Amino acid sequence: MTVEGFFERLRTEGRIVIVGASLAGLTAAETLRAEGFTGSLTMIGDEPYEPYDRPPLSKAVLLGKASPHRTDLPRRRELDADWRLGVAAAGLDLGARRVRLADGDEVEYDRLLIATGVRARPWPNETEAQLDGVFVLRTRDDAVALHRRLGAAPRRVFVIGAGFTGSEIASACRYQDLAVTVAERANAPLVGALGGVVGAVAAELQRENGVDLRTGVTVTALEGDTSGRVRAAHLSDGGVVETDVVVVSLGATRNTEWLTGSGLGAGPRGVACDAGCRAFDFRGIVTDDVFVAGDVARSPHPLFNYQFLSLEHWGNAVSQAEVAAHNMISPSADRRPHIWVPAFWSSQFGVNIKSVGVPTMGDQIMITQGSLAERRFVGAYGYQGRVIAAVSFDNTRWLQFYQQLIETAAPFPLEYSTVDRRPEGRRPIPADFPDPSLPTHGPTVTLSGYSPVDRRLVFTPARH
Amino acid sequence: MRVVVDLNKCQGYAQCAFLAPDVFALHGEESLVYDPCAGDEQRAQLARAVAACPVGAITADGTDDGAAPSAGPVRGTSDDR
């Protein structure tokens, strides 16, 4: 059969299976149909819900502006898909092109998209994690449970981890006038994602809004009462905080366990794929029929030294799913690369925080517009003499300009004048990221090697 | 009606908050908060907000077939029909 004939047949009669029925999975399905795919489409999701949006769960929902039950994603078109919801994928047979489901059923595919995302990292002590009043926040069910408990007038909420989610939860609690303590291992909130210079601003923001922020501490134990309800958190500095709601915000773990032993290059850091979203097997050979998109993917990016980036970003899930869907049904000459510039947002304590590029690669920062003291500014991050990222606090309109600087590898420090440039922003200062060898939960971008400049290769195959 | 806003694109112009104040609101200077599940009585206001957003950041049910402007480069390929 000719190549054209093969793809014509794939587009009209092929069987496409998408594992993961959230933002990336839905976007890919919509894109496939939009591009004229008329074959069979199966959507597999471990949660019993149709695709819903997660960012509102830590923002609008906790602020009381939306119901946790009703954040379903809009549908831009009819999908005509076979939905297998509430059943997780349990295994993959690459040779037979089959996905095995947790209920024992099996689904065959011609093209597979892996979009299984991440899940909240639980509190490591299982007994303590089981205490009534201990929550994580990732899924709709998490949000429903937490929302209900916050509505029952708790005396104090205790948040473990001041990354974006933890900070947003603290913000929502203060908005509802709930007492809240935040414990963070680093010396400020958001340090893992944005560095210490910006972290110091985030710390001030929390304290001014009445958050009892404890930095440089870890939580050593959660204590329950005789009825199994959490009553206190013990800190590494000897402090004890009485609380009846604990929210564990220690970042996320990638959902790749179901691929163990499949032969794919999948592990705790995600599923490796090429810039065209095709999955690598564990030998580093690219597959032709398995694609990856969203939080679970790690893919190389030319702007960032071809490092494999794992991005837990809403916009990445959309963009990568569109590229993956297009490439799944296109011959190689028509395929597109996924070279989306990382971007994310957070809103907390009434401040809009946005970023483009990869701040964690930056070793220096300069405040090119506004001022840290006013908490309205743009900071540009530099790496090896070029602009690698930017962050804005209540200054989002300028970010697109910085994105162009990043895309064109503009020189750093920025020499020319910018609107609202202040004297203190003329010189770069260290961005103050924590030692990357220490575990942090904050970054929403994980640099996971191998950079071509590393000139070394460590390869340890897991039980394959 | 289900609604989602691409908050990477959103630049806080707040046109939506004026046109559909029961769905969209600014929280602070430029943070947008919205109800992802607007009531059917909001349909007309919502359609106006989708059309008025200068950066095309709002997607609602069925906007592919509606009067919505192209949502820009990220969703451009699938919005363009």
Side-chain angles (χ1 to χ4, degrees):
Chain A
M1 192 192 300
T2 63
V3 171
E4 291 77 18
F6 173 81
F7 279 96
E8 184 52 36
R9 196 158 161 184
L10 178 67
R11 295 170 77 100
T12 51
E13 315 169 11
R15 299 163 301 174
I16 293 185
V17 173
I18 297 178
V19 184
S22 192
L23 179 63
L26 175 65
T27 304
E30 287 184 333
T31 306
L32 285 167
R33 290 300 189 211
E35 295 206 3
F37 172 70
T38 55
S40 79
L41 189 54
T42 306
M43 305 284 294
I44 298 166
D46 63 339
E47 291 183 68
Y49 310 113
E50 294 203 2
Y52 62 87
D53 207 24
R54 297 182 199 277
L57 299 181
S58 61
K59 303 177 184 78
V61 165
L62 294 187
L63 290 171
K65 310 270 190 200
S67 157
H69 297 281
R70 304 177 77 187
T71 69
D72 288 19
L73 286 161
R75 297 299 179 80
R76 291 179 298 151
R77 56 176 53 250
E78 278 298 315
L79 282 186
D80 187 22
D82 178 19
W83 294 86
R84 310 288 291 265
L85 298 176
V87 190
L92 171 64
D93 185 333
L94 283 177
R97 296 186 177 184
R98 253 197 318 253
V99 174
R100 195 175 71 253
L101 303 184
D103 63 7
D105 210 354
E106 294 189 328
V107 189
E108 292 186 350
Y109 62 82
D110 300 306
R111 289 281 186 273
L112 172 68
L113 179 67
I114 296 170
T116 41
V118 301
R119 63 181 182 277
R121 183 173 288 133
W123 183 243
N125 180 314
E126 278 180 38
T127 314
E128 294 175 7
Q130 297 296 322
L131 288 170
D132 183 27
V134 177
F135 298 91
V136 293
L137 180 53
R138 172 79 195 169
T139 66
R140 170 176 289 179
D141 290 346
D142 296 339
V144 168
L146 178 60
H147 187 249
R148 187 181 301 138
R149 191 60 65 90
L150 293 183
R155 284 167 304 152
R156 176 169 295 275
V157 178
F158 186 86
V159 179
I160 306 176
F164 284 106
T165 307
S167 299
E168 287 170 5
I169 293 165
S171 165
C173 289
R174 290 307 302 144
Y175 185 77
Q176 297 180 38
D177 227 12
L178 295 172
V180 57
T181 298
V182 174
E184 164 60 42
R185 177 190 352 227
N187 59 12
L190 313 184
V191 163
L194 297 173
V197 174
V198 177
V201 181
E204 265 179 35
L205 192 58
Q206 294 213 359
R207 293 201 165 105
E208 251 177 49
N209 281 278
V211 174
D212 170 29
L213 174 66
R214 315 281 185 97
T215 57
V217 296
T218 55
V219 176
T220 52
L222 299 176
E223 180 190 334
D225 62 17
T226 48
S227 62
R229 282 194 71 140
V230 69
R231 61 170 297 275
H234 294 256
L235 304 178
S236 56
D237 63 1
V240 180
V241 179
E242 291 195 11
T243 180
D244 35 17
V245 177
V246 172
V247 189
V248 180
S249 301
L250 294 175
T253 305
R254 286 169 172 76
N255 292 321
T256 57
E257 289 81 357
W258 69 285
L259 297 167
T260 302
S262 67
L264 278 189
R269 295 192 298 194
V271 185
C273 62
D274 73 357
C277 309
R278 295 181 300 173
F280 285 114
D281 73 12
F282 76 96
R283 304 162 300 175
I285 299 175
V286 76
T287 57
D288 253 341
D289 45 9
V290 181
F291 292 71
V292 200
D295 292 2
V296 77
R298 332 170 25 219
S299 64
H301 200 305
L303 275 180
F304 307 103
N305 288 355
Y306 290 97
Q307 285 224 51
F308 279 75
L309 302 183
S310 307
L311 300 169
E312 293 175 39
H313 294 169
W314 191 93
N316 182 65
V318 171
S319 167
Q320 199 167 20
E322 288 178 345
V323 173
H326 170 84
N327 290 351
M328 284 171 101
I329 52 171
S330 301
S332 54
D334 296 337
R335 286 181 185 157
R336 298 201 308 254
H338 172 61
I339 46 174
W340 185 78
V341 177
F344 69 87
W345 75 84
S346 170
S347 102
Q348 44 189 275
F349 307 102
V351 175
N352 193 27
I353 303 175
K354 288 175 118 177
S355 163
V356 289
V358 180
T360 46
M361 276 181 88
D363 35 33
Q364 291 187 305
I365 186 172
M366 58 197 300
I367 304 307
T368 49
Q369 296 182 253
S371 87
L372 296 170
E374 292 168 19
R375 295 200 289 255
R376 184 182 171 89
F377 62 89
V378 179
Y381 293 84
Y383 170 72
Q384 295 186 346
R386 67 183 180 102
V387 181
I388 199 82
V391 61
S392 71
F393 273 47
D394 274 349
N395 234 330
T396 179
R397 276 164 226 199
W398 297 106
L399 272 194
Q400 202 168 12
F401 167 71
Y402 290 87
Q403 181 171 336
Q404 284 162 14
L405 297 182
I406 297 163
E407 285 168 349
T408 53
F412 183 93
L414 277 76
E415 296 295 350
Y416 48 83
S417 59
T418 46
V419 174
D420 199 18
R421 187 78 164 261
R422 312 290 177 85
E424 70 265 28
R426 298 236 163 85
R427 285 182 195 293
I429 52 174
D432 192 18
F433 281 99
D435 179 346
S437 66
L438 296 173
T440 61
H441 50 78
T444 50
V445 181
T446 307
L447 301 172
S448 50
Y450 300 99
S451 159
V453 297
D454 279 353
R455 293 184 194 281
R456 66 197 163 92
L457 184 67
V458 181
F459 179 58
T460 316
R463 308 178 298 279
H464 283 300
Chain B
M1 285 184 85
R2 294 169 290 198
V3 185
V4 69
V5 180
D6 183 340
L7 290 170
N8 286 318
K9 282 187 198 155
C10 173
Q11 303 197 359
Y13 286 103
Q15 297 299 304
C16 56
F18 291 115
L19 292 165
D22 294 332
V23 182
F24 304 96
L26 281 191
H27 186 64
E29 292 279 307
E30 59 173 48
S31 286
L32 185 70
V33 179
Y34 63 94
D35 185 348
C37 185
D40 266 348
E41 74 283 358
Q42 299 292 326
R43 184 172 293 270
Q45 288 98 313
L46 192 54
R48 260 179 256 139
V50 170
C53 177
V55 290
I58 309 170
T59 304
D61 275 326
T63 39
D64 257 10
D65 311 307
S70 163
V74 171
R75 312 204 83 160
T77 48
S78 45
D79 279 334
D80 188 21
R81 80 197 56 81

